[in-house]
Amino acid sequence: MELTTEPFDLDEAPAHAVVAREVIQSAELDAVDVGPFGNTAEGGADQVLTAVDSLLRRALASGATRVSLQVNVIGEEAR
């Protein structure tokens, strides 16, 4: 999955961005990459869906006005 939260603040990470990073870093996901303009992570379907649920709820509760999320399904787990 790949995600960003808005609104952006180039001077300081907003609360919703910090929460989004905490969620994916603490989830049982593989290959987590946290960056200033987006975050990516990989994992099994159940782990990704659990992280997405938490991410959306917590980021929106922390002031995000938009969450851009892309989920790609790769491999046999897609069936």
Side-chain angles (χ1 to χ4, degrees):
M1 80 173 142
E2 182 177 345
L3 65 107
T4 58
T5 61
E6 295 180 40
F8 293 116
D9 183 343
L10 296 177
D11 294 326
E12 185 177 333
H16 57 80
V18 173
V19 165
R21 281 183 260 173
E22 289 172 354
V23 168
I24 66 166
Q25 288 177 326
S26 66
E28 295 180 20
L29 298 170
D30 304 320
V32 174
D33 183 24
V34 174
F37 299 107
N39 306 293
T40 60
E42 298 176 3
D46 288 338
Q47 290 78 16
V48 169
L49 292 173
T50 297
V52 166
D53 178 67
S54 180
L55 167 81
L56 291 173
R57 292 176 190 276
R58 293 187 57 202
L60 293 171
S62 296
T65 58
R66 177 184 295 193
V67 178
S68 299
L69 174 68
Q70 180 174 325
V71 176
N72 295 316
V73 179
I74 302 170
E76 292 297 316
E77 289 186 17
R79 296 175 186 229

